[in-house]
Amino acid sequence: MLGNKSFFRRAGFCAVLAVFSGCGFIDLRPIGYVSFPEHAETVLSGEKVGIRFDTDMDRRETEKAFFVSRDGISVKGDVNWNGRELSFVPLEGWKAGPRYILNLAGTIFALDGREARAALYVPFYAPARAELPYLVSFSPLDGESVGTDPEQAPLLLNFSVPMDRLSTEDALNISGISERETRWLDGDRALEVLPAKKLSPWTVYRWTLGPSAMSREGAPLAKEAGASFITDADRLVPCVIEVCPLVDTGSLPRWQRTGLALENGLGSGQAIGICFNKPMDETVSTSVRFDPVFSGRFERWDDSSVVFIPDRDPEPETVYTLIVSPGAQDVSGLKTGVESRFYFTPDIPYLTILLLQAGDPPEEYALPDPDNNSVCPAFVVMPGGAITLSLRFSHLFTSRARADAVLALRLEPYFPGILPQPALRSARWWSDDTLILDWEGAVPGYAGEGGGQRHYYRLVLPGGRGGINDGRGSYLKEEYYFILEAVDE
């Protein structure tokens, strides 16, 4: 930039150059110009700014090199020429406070053929310059440890003056947080920012507030600000501290420990409690599974425990694995990070048949423990073909299970096929584990010197989960068939 004094100081030298140029020499005189305002960081005294040249200029090319900017963006306005003076007036007027820059950058041309490479940069302010706002304080402090709950540790910025909400919010950037809520406090002197979602644990978050943040009066932020915080206030890693069988009390509190270990103490109709060392996230149940598959539902026991309620009893004499995945997380978002496995066999043995005998107990015809498909004698009382059988099971039956068992078992002809179908005349339980059955219509076989005909019936006891069971989770592992030889008493 050349000032007015330098302009007139060069006048004598330029006259000499003009003589040589008239004789065909190149005109080396520089193009003189001066800006208004002339000095940097001044406050305008009028509405217009511009440049005065010492010669007539190519206006079109000069306008290409001239512009006024604010925050790196060109300000829209009217450009006018008055002789050798180029002036600019903004369309929306000057805003008090913001820092403007008058620029002349590029090649400019005089009408006499001279050219110059201009590089003019003059910062200035509009009249009534406003106080520049600055960040008084903020929290969390730089590098501070906080939790992951947005409500417990929001970002709070305190300013020296009331701020323009839109420009300030746009100028604030927080790495890793795209969705957020804002609250303005203290007459717009304080901005509180709350992430819309829980923060990630053990993560460094950085924020910056750029100079495009404006005060309510339109003054830009005096200095860019920024800091960071880390979500490591909670450093206790969650883990499983107990798994145990539970019984439903039918009242409050609903679930109660049985006092037995899960390893071999889970009984029929019971649930499983899974306890952690700290409050867990609501999704913790999605991190629990069983092998083999064990269907059921989960309920919260308390903040740090869940209850698994099976849809039905587990399979007897089966080894199960309860698995808690590494993704199980607490309310802060911390994860266990390791897989936990717990092995257990339910305290539900299979139901077996301890004794099958003919007649009411006690009888002299008691047989040893029968094997499946074993042949047993059945004494037929004539006339009427009555057969009485006694069955003793390994477990005590509930009243409902006793009734269901009578309906489930059956006696049917086996050989020869022409034997009539016996009819059940009565069934009575001698005790909770012993059943006495009376049949009629059976035909005894006979034997003679010339041969004879033996008659066989088959007693069928359905097995499996849908078969005969004790009402407490135990059932026959498989279907039992007992071959009975009908003999004449």
Side-chain angles (χ1 to χ4, degrees):
M1 177 181 70
L2 299 177
N4 290 329
K5 293 181 180 179
S6 61
F7 168 70
F8 292 110
R9 190 178 296 119
R10 293 193 305 272
F13 177 70
C14 294
V16 176
L17 291 178
V19 174
F20 286 100
S21 62
C23 300
F25 291 94
I26 298 175
D27 191 347
L28 298 178
R29 293 175 300 163
I31 299 174
Y33 53 85
V34 62
S35 65
F36 56 95
E38 183 176 359
H39 302 290
E41 307 297 339
T42 60
V43 180
L44 292 183
S45 58
E47 290 187 357
K48 65 180 181 178
V49 298
I51 300 175
R52 297 185 185 95
F53 296 91
D54 65 354
T55 186
D56 294 326
M57 302 296 294
D58 182 328
R59 295 184 175 183
R60 182 176 181 181
E61 294 299 321
T62 303
E63 289 177 13
K64 291 181 180 180
F66 174 79
F67 64 96
V68 175
S69 63
R70 187 186 76 185
D71 299 328
I73 301 175
S74 294
V75 178
K76 295 182 179 180
D78 293 327
V79 177
N80 298 295
W81 285 91
N82 183 11
R84 296 176 178 179
E85 179 182 282
L86 170 63
S87 64
F88 174 85
V89 177
L91 292 178
E92 298 181 353
W94 302 110
K95 289 188 177 182
R99 188 172 186 256
Y100 293 89
I101 298 174
L102 184 150
N103 299 271
L104 185 66
T107 303
I108 56 176
F109 301 90
L111 293 182
D112 59 14
R114 288 179 293 158
E115 65 180 68
R117 185 70 178 174
L120 184 65
Y121 179 92
V122 184
F124 65 92
Y125 293 89
R129 177 178 176 180
E131 176 187 356
L132 296 182
Y134 60 90
L135 193 61
V136 176
S137 63
F138 57 85
S139 64
L141 300 177
D142 193 15
E144 184 177 350
S145 295
V146 300
T148 58
D149 187 346
E151 290 288 347
Q152 295 178 359
L155 176 62
L156 180 63
L157 307 178
N158 295 300
F159 297 92
S160 59
V161 297
M163 300 295 291
D164 174 68
R165 294 187 176 186
L166 181 59
S167 65
T168 305
E169 291 176 13
D170 289 343
L172 178 63
N173 177 64
I174 309 177
S175 63
I177 301 177
S178 56
E179 299 181 20
R180 64 195 189 195
E181 298 178 4
T182 57
R183 300 173 184 169
W184 283 94
L185 311 169
D186 191 22
D188 290 353
R189 286 182 172 84
L191 172 60
E192 187 179 63
V193 181
L194 295 92
K197 299 178 181 179
K198 183 184 298 183
L199 301 179
S200 300
W202 292 7
T203 301
V204 175
Y205 289 88
R206 294 181 173 84
W207 62 269
T208 57
L209 184 66
S212 59
M214 298 285 187
S215 70
R216 191 183 291 171
E217 299 299 325
L221 193 68
K223 182 181 180 181
E224 182 176 351
S228 65
F229 56 89
I230 182 170
T231 53
D232 65 347
D234 184 2
R235 302 186 181 186
L236 178 62
V237 177
C239 64
V240 180
I241 58 174
E242 181 186 15
V243 289
C244 57
L246 303 175
V247 292
D248 189 346
T249 63
S251 60
L252 295 178
R254 179 180 176 185
W255 299 105
Q256 183 176 347
R257 291 175 173 84
T258 64
L260 300 176
L262 178 67
E263 183 179 4
N264 54 12
L266 181 66
S268 174
Q270 295 180 358
I272 300 175
I274 306 168
C275 307
F276 294 83
N277 62 336
K278 59 189 303 191
M280 300 298 289
D281 188 79
E282 293 180 354
T283 62
V284 65
S285 60
T286 61
S287 300
V288 181
R289 60 186 176 90
F290 292 86
D291 183 26
V293 175
F294 192 16
S295 62
R297 69 183 191 279
F298 286 89
E299 289 183 1
R300 291 304 291 255
W301 191 5
D302 55 35
D303 289 344
S304 58
S305 306
V306 292
V307 178
F308 174 73
I309 307 171
D311 291 336
R312 63 181 186 182
D313 288 334
E315 296 293 334
E317 301 177 13
T318 300
V319 178
Y320 286 86
T321 305
L322 188 159
I323 304 168
V324 181
S325 73
Q329 64 181 29
D330 62 18
V331 292
S332 297
L334 284 177
K335 298 180 180 180
T336 59
V338 295
E339 184 178 83
S340 300
R341 288 175 170 258
F342 303 90
Y343 302 93
F344 65 95
T345 302
D347 186 19
I348 306 175
Y350 281 111
L351 181 67
T352 60
I353 301 170
L354 301 180
L355 187 68
L356 169 66
Q357 66 181 25
D360 290 344
E363 285 283 348
E364 59 179 339
Y365 306 114
L367 301 178
D369 293 351
D371 293 327
N372 206 9
N373 290 319
S374 59
V375 178
C376 305
F379 302 99
V380 180
V381 179
M382 301 298 289
I387 293 179
T388 299
L389 300 175
S390 297
L391 287 168
R392 188 168 81 243
F393 296 92
S394 57
H395 299 155
L396 303 180
F397 279 58
T398 64
S399 58
R400 175 62 183 272
R402 292 197 296 269
D404 291 342
V406 172
L407 296 176
L409 56 78
R410 62 187 185 273
L411 183 65
E412 56 190 21
Y414 184 65
F415 181 83
I418 60 173
L419 291 176
Q421 171 67 53
L424 181 62
R425 184 172 61 184
S426 67
R428 62 190 186 277
W429 285 85
W430 179 272
S431 61
D432 288 345
D433 62 354
T434 303
L435 173 62
I436 300 175
L437 302 163
D438 294 314
W439 306 84
E440 62 182 3
V443 179
Y446 61 91
E449 295 181 358
Q453 179 65 58
R454 295 180 181 271
H455 292 177
Y456 296 95
Y457 293 86
R458 185 171 67 170
L459 179 65
V460 181
L461 288 83
R465 188 175 288 275
I468 295 177
N469 64 87
D470 64 358
R472 296 184 177 88
S474 294
Y475 53 86
L476 295 174
K477 184 176 183 180
E478 57 187 356
E479 193 169 69
Y480 275 76
Y481 303 93
F482 292 104
I483 308 301
L484 304 177
E485 181 180 0
V487 296
D488 193 345
E489 189 180 29

